[in-house]
Amino acid sequence: MKGLISCDKATIARLAERLKQANSHSQYQRIQCVLIRATLGSSAAQIAQLLGWSTATVHVIHSRWAKEGDALFDLRGRGGRHHQHLSAEQEAQILAPFIARAEAGGMLKVAEIQQAYQEKVGKAVAPSTIYRLLDRHGWRKVMPRPRHPKADVAAQAAFKKTPPRGTPRGRAPG
């Protein structure tokens, strides 16, 4: 392990600066793991005890530091679309003609988008895939208004108060 981490001042200064700019706790601890070894020369067991890690993890971090250098600290975030059929740019290309038609006053039909998507992907996909695609690109289902814009609210309220014919209160005269 002695040759894995160089103890020169430039490396220590670079690690110390990087420690100040760490974005997450895990990134901070990785930098600490290498920095402690470079500055103090502590053993893997001592570093593991300081960080609350196993000795094997410290060995892995030191080994990866020797192979990868600073790339070790650039952690990928969790989550994401690991099983995607197409990238966001490719999805946007598929949607482009449909968006142009919708902006000209036409309607989007999920079945047509699904057909184009399936041709691009080369396999069948569920309609829910297309609805999620539309949601990712900022589209939503537009519903009709709950009432007609020319409806007379006062007339409707008056009608509701009028009892129907053939009931005891609404008997026909005679």
Side-chain angles (χ1 to χ4, degrees):
M1 285 300 260
K2 290 180 182 175
L4 286 180
I5 298 175
S6 62
C7 298
D8 59 68
K9 290 185 179 184
T11 303
I12 293 172
R14 192 173 76 238
L15 287 170
E17 188 59 37
R18 187 142 191 161
L19 189 65
K20 292 176 188 173
Q21 298 170 350
N23 296 330
S24 64
H25 180 68
S26 58
Q27 187 180 30
Y28 190 86
Q29 280 190 319
R30 283 175 178 228
I31 298 167
Q32 274 185 326
C33 180
V34 176
L35 189 59
I36 291 169
R37 176 66 181 216
T39 55
L40 302 176
S42 300
S43 68
Q46 292 169 331
I47 296 171
Q49 189 173 11
L50 283 171
L51 297 177
W53 289 356
S54 70
T55 307
T57 305
V58 174
H59 284 298
V60 168
I61 295 294
H62 289 168
S63 176
R64 284 186 61 195
W65 166 258
K67 291 177 188 170
E68 301 172 21
D70 281 350
L72 167 69
F73 306 128
D74 299 327
L75 301 176
R76 239 184 32 183
R78 293 181 174 217
R81 297 175 55 209
H82 298 293
H83 303 289
Q84 65 186 0
H85 294 294
L86 302 172
S87 67
E89 294 81 27
Q90 291 172 321
E91 288 178 352
Q93 288 175 350
I94 289 176
L95 284 177
F98 298 103
I99 291 172
R101 191 181 332 153
E103 287 175 347
M107 289 188 58
L108 287 178
K109 294 184 181 174
V110 172
E112 293 175 4
I113 298 171
Q114 183 178 9
Q115 181 75 24
Y117 191 87
Q118 288 174 350
E119 288 173 10
K120 178 79 173 180
V121 171
K123 66 180 193 177
V125 295
S128 62
T129 303
I130 306 305
Y131 284 111
R132 288 195 317 269
L133 174 139
L134 291 170
D135 183 51
R136 272 193 301 276
H137 291 273
W139 286 84
R140 58 183 173 71
K141 186 174 181 179
V142 178
M143 300 291 289
R145 285 187 274 263
R147 64 179 190 82
H148 194 276
K150 294 182 182 177
D152 185 4
V153 179
Q156 288 177 351
F159 179 78
K160 288 178 186 175
K161 292 180 182 176
T162 314
R165 293 189 73 165
T167 60
R169 288 191 197 146
R171 287 196 180 131

